[in-house]
Amino acid sequence: MSFSKADDLLDLATMTAARRYGVTLDDVAERYDCSRRTAQRILTALDRRFPELRSDFDPEGRKRWRLPSAPLRELLTLTPDELAALDLGIAALGDASEAKLLRQLREKILALVPRSQAARIDTDHAALLEAQGLAARPGPYLASDPTVDAAISRAIKAGTLVAILYRSRGKGEAELKKVEPYGVLLGIRRYLVGIDTEDPQRRLRLYRAEAIEEARPLNEAFEREPGFDLQGFAARAFGTYQDPEEIEEVVWRFRPEAADHARSFRFHPLQEMEDQPDGSLIVRFRACGQLEMCWHLYAWGDKVEVLAPETLRRLCEGHRRADFPALP
């Protein structure tokens, strides 16, 4: 068996042991981007190497393979690359409450590493971080209170209401609100997505994280609106600001000299790109958030033109510069 195949088999064994309900043929096919027949051969090889592998059928009639973790304990170890990636992820999260949870996870993982391996990992890990540099979140962003973030996170996970002391724009004092928390949008601003329990129309609202002075999970469960999808909700906007009445088709044209650079951007999850005969690039998507679009487009100077909507074209008109020395 080649080293690459051995690594793949160990990777599959780890995935199988890590999942409470085991894996299906489709899980294996998706993981290794292969056909179901190839996935079956891989599972057969796994069975040969790990006699503890068991299979049965779930309530939906799908065959699942399960592997106890005990046979893997002596084979698995933390690599310097994995530890460095975890550290970079922690640094990138900045002051977010999730960073604290990842630091705790890091400590638990290191506590399980055998002492014989710890010294080598520390040496290689330090070299990797030195080579990669310090991970950081460049650019401005609004800081939020970690205790507020943690309280909201607990309420979302538990499916309970959260009480927030919220300072709305234009109001001098913060107001106490009971909110059904549906999720959090991350960007330059951090927003809590939720429904005010006193809103008779039960509209989803965005609450600015920096304007939440206090937050406390309540022992009151709620039922989420059926069919709600946070990713789909976020995709309605270019950035984090949401205005359902502003959602419309957006069309930008990047000049030939900027087209290659623009192709490397994901401006929107559902964007479509069209190469033009003159070398320019058309980008299309549907979203709201024209002010945030304008802020982004300004950085492209005169290398981009707004074709639609007309309101965005007028908003950007007169602000397309030709003297920027670089593209975003």
Side-chain angles (χ1 to χ4, degrees):
M1 179 184 293
S2 68
F3 286 116
S4 61
K5 290 182 178 179
D7 283 342
D8 287 345
L9 203 61
L10 186 57
D11 177 71
L12 176 59
T14 304
M15 179 178 75
T16 307
R19 297 193 181 185
R20 180 181 177 185
Y21 299 107
V23 298
T24 65
L25 273 177
D26 289 335
D27 293 332
V28 177
E30 180 181 357
R31 178 74 165 234
Y32 298 103
D33 191 22
C34 64
S35 66
R36 286 171 59 88
R37 179 173 294 181
T38 300
Q40 180 67 63
R41 288 200 296 267
I42 295 173
L43 283 164
T44 300
L46 183 68
D47 188 34
R48 287 198 301 268
R49 300 294 174 179
F50 293 92
E52 300 86 353
L53 187 68
R54 295 291 180 267
S55 63
D56 55 17
F57 291 90
D58 64 19
E60 297 177 9
R62 294 175 301 186
K63 191 173 183 179
R64 289 184 174 275
W65 285 261
R66 295 178 173 85
L67 180 67
S69 60
L72 288 171
R73 287 174 185 164
E74 297 301 319
L75 299 176
L76 297 180
T77 184
L78 178 67
T79 68
D81 303 80
E82 291 167 343
L83 185 59
L86 183 57
D87 283 343
L88 292 171
I90 292 170
L93 283 170
D95 297 329
S97 60
E98 291 83 357
K100 179 181 178 182
L101 295 176
L102 281 181
R103 281 192 290 270
Q104 293 173 346
L105 175 61
R106 182 186 189 278
E107 292 170 356
K108 292 176 182 178
I109 292 173
L110 287 175
L112 297 174
V113 174
R115 292 184 179 275
S116 60
Q117 299 173 5
R120 178 183 58 80
I121 289 174
D122 282 344
T123 302
D124 294 345
H125 167 251
L128 274 172
L129 287 183
E130 182 179 353
Q132 293 173 349
L134 177 65
R137 177 183 287 184
Y141 66 93
L142 286 164
S144 55
D145 186 337
T147 59
V148 168
D149 294 342
I152 290 173
S153 178
R154 288 198 301 272
I156 292 173
K157 294 171 184 174
T160 63
L161 300 179
V162 61
I164 62 173
L165 196 59
Y166 188 69
R167 180 171 34 83
S168 301
R169 281 197 175 96
K171 294 188 177 181
E173 296 184 359
E175 299 176 306
L176 184 63
K177 297 179 179 292
K178 290 172 64 175
V179 176
E180 299 176 4
Y182 276 63
V184 175
L185 299 182
L186 302 175
I188 295 178
R189 274 198 167 88
R190 189 182 181 102
Y191 288 94
L192 165 64
V193 181
I195 297 177
D196 190 327
T197 56
E198 296 185 359
D199 182 0
Q201 299 182 32
R202 293 187 54 77
R203 295 166 297 186
L204 283 166
R205 285 195 53 190
L206 299 182
Y207 299 89
R208 293 173 292 119
E210 75 275 9
I212 301 175
E213 298 181 359
E214 296 178 15
R216 177 170 54 89
L218 303 176
N219 292 322
E220 299 179 46
F222 73 96
E223 289 195 15
R224 293 162 64 95
E225 292 291 330
F228 175 78
D229 173 33
L230 184 63
Q231 295 297 329
F233 178 80
R236 302 191 312 178
F238 174 73
T240 48
Y241 175 75
Q242 296 264 353
D243 182 356
E245 297 182 0
E246 195 185 272
I247 298 176
E248 53 187 316
E249 185 179 32
V250 176
V251 185
W252 301 338
R253 179 168 59 206
F254 291 87
R255 291 171 56 171
E257 58 267 36
D260 283 343
H261 190 60
R263 285 189 195 93
S264 65
F265 273 75
R266 173 69 68 174
F267 299 103
H268 187 271
L270 302 179
Q271 70 183 25
E272 295 180 1
M273 291 186 171
E274 304 171 8
D275 292 315
Q276 302 302 298
D278 64 351
S280 62
L281 176 70
I282 298 288
V283 176
R284 301 176 186 271
F285 56 89
R286 287 186 60 83
C288 59
Q290 292 186 16
L291 184 57
E292 288 176 289
M293 293 181 204
C294 189
W295 293 339
H296 178 74
L297 291 172
Y298 180 76
W300 290 85
D302 65 347
K303 302 299 187 292
V304 63
E305 175 187 4
V306 175
L307 303 183
E310 179 63 21
T311 49
L312 177 61
R313 192 190 67 78
R314 290 199 302 268
L315 193 60
C316 296
E317 192 174 6
H319 299 286
R320 299 169 65 233
R321 296 175 51 169
D323 60 339
F324 285 146
L327 295 174

